Amino acid sequence: MTDNSLESADSATVGEVTYRRIRSDIVLGRLTPGRRLPLERMKEAYGTSVSTLRELFSRLATEGLLVAEGARGFQVTAVSSANLREVASMRLLLEGHGLKESFQRGDLEWEGRVVAAYHKLATMEKRMAADDHAPAEIWRQYDWAFHVALISACGSDLLLQTYASICDKYLRYQMIAAIFRGKEAADEHHVLLECALAKDWQRAQQTLVTHVEDCVTQMTSVLDAA
């Protein structure tokens, strides 16, 4: 491998790390909706060049997380109740199909992943319910991991990749609205676990609809009030 190829590989690695950092800041709400991101100012914040930052911002714009503003740079994509409902509908479509396929295909290894993911989530939800000041980011991470585990045996890498992208957009709304439904959501997670172990995908789909729609109702109330 030549020196130039090594430098190119190092640049790609640094660029990917920076991309993930910026993306995480958007999804977790650290970069607030509507915020303008001047390249000169943001290059200092992320320790990279303007050219690299422009490339990364353009990539995030194609994902719908940023909006290009021409010569003025980029802006964090705004949020709205209408967009939230659209994102939620897509999540239900993908996850509902994934549940059916995964439950029908799932083996003992899959059941183990589901049970392990549920244990972490249930433990965190108990801490949240007890006002234990558990970090919301970790709680949401466990929540996402459990739902991913449920559909992880669906047999479609494309479905899982698309689902991950949609769930990032859904997670962004959850972090912005700061919704915690407490025992109601925890009970729904337990039902989903029972359904997985019983391979009852019909009941799981019904539970998922309630789980998502009730959360969306609360989030839209927060967004509309704001």
Side-chain angles (χ1 to χ4, degrees), residues 201-222:
W201 59 266
Q202 292 98 331
R203 186 185 179 205
Q205 287 181 338
Q206 295 169 358
T207 302
L208 178 68
V209 171
T210 300
H211 186 67
V212 172
E213 289 185 348
D214 285 0
C215 186
V216 168
T217 296
Q218 290 193 25
M219 288 193 287
T220 52
S221 296
V222 172

Side-chain angles (χ1 to χ4, degrees), residues 133-145:
H133 304 292
E137 292 179 15
I138 297 177
W139 162 46
R140 288 303 181 193
Q141 176 185 336
Y142 288 161
D143 181 48
W144 180 81

Side-chain angles (χ1 to χ4, degrees), residues 61-151:
T62 64
E63 296 180 32
L65 295 174
L66 292 180
V67 177
E69 295 191 302
R72 292 195 298 174
F74 294 80
Q75 183 180 30
V76 180
T77 301
V79 295
S80 69
S81 295
N83 180 252
L84 168 58
R85 293 189 186 97
E86 185 177 3
V87 169
S89 293
M90 184 58 68
R91 176 188 171 179
L92 284 172
L93 180 66
L94 293 169
E95 190 171 346
H97 179 69
L99 286 173
K100 178 181 178 181
E101 294 298 314
S102 192
F103 283 23
Q104 291 178 338
R105 296 167 179 261
D107 56 12
L108 188 60
E109 292 296 322
W110 167 75
E111 289 184 8
R113 292 197 300 272
V114 171
V115 171
Y118 174 77
H119 173 71
K120 291 180 180 179
L121 174 59
T123 300
M124 185 60 65
E125 286 179 327
K126 288 178 182 177
R127 289 180 57 187
M128 296 286 289
D131 195 24
D132 194 18
H133 304 292
E137 292 179 15
I138 297 177
W139 162 46
R140 288 303 181 193
Q141 176 185 336
Y142 288 161
D143 181 48
W144 180 81
F146 174 63
H147 284 274
V148 169
L150 287 170
I151 65 171

Side-chain angles (χ1 to χ4, degrees), residues 54-68:
R54 183 180 288 109
E55 180 181 340
L56 299 180
F57 280 2
S58 296
R59 181 178 172 185
L60 289 163
T62 64
E63 296 180 32
L65 295 174
L66 292 180
V67 177

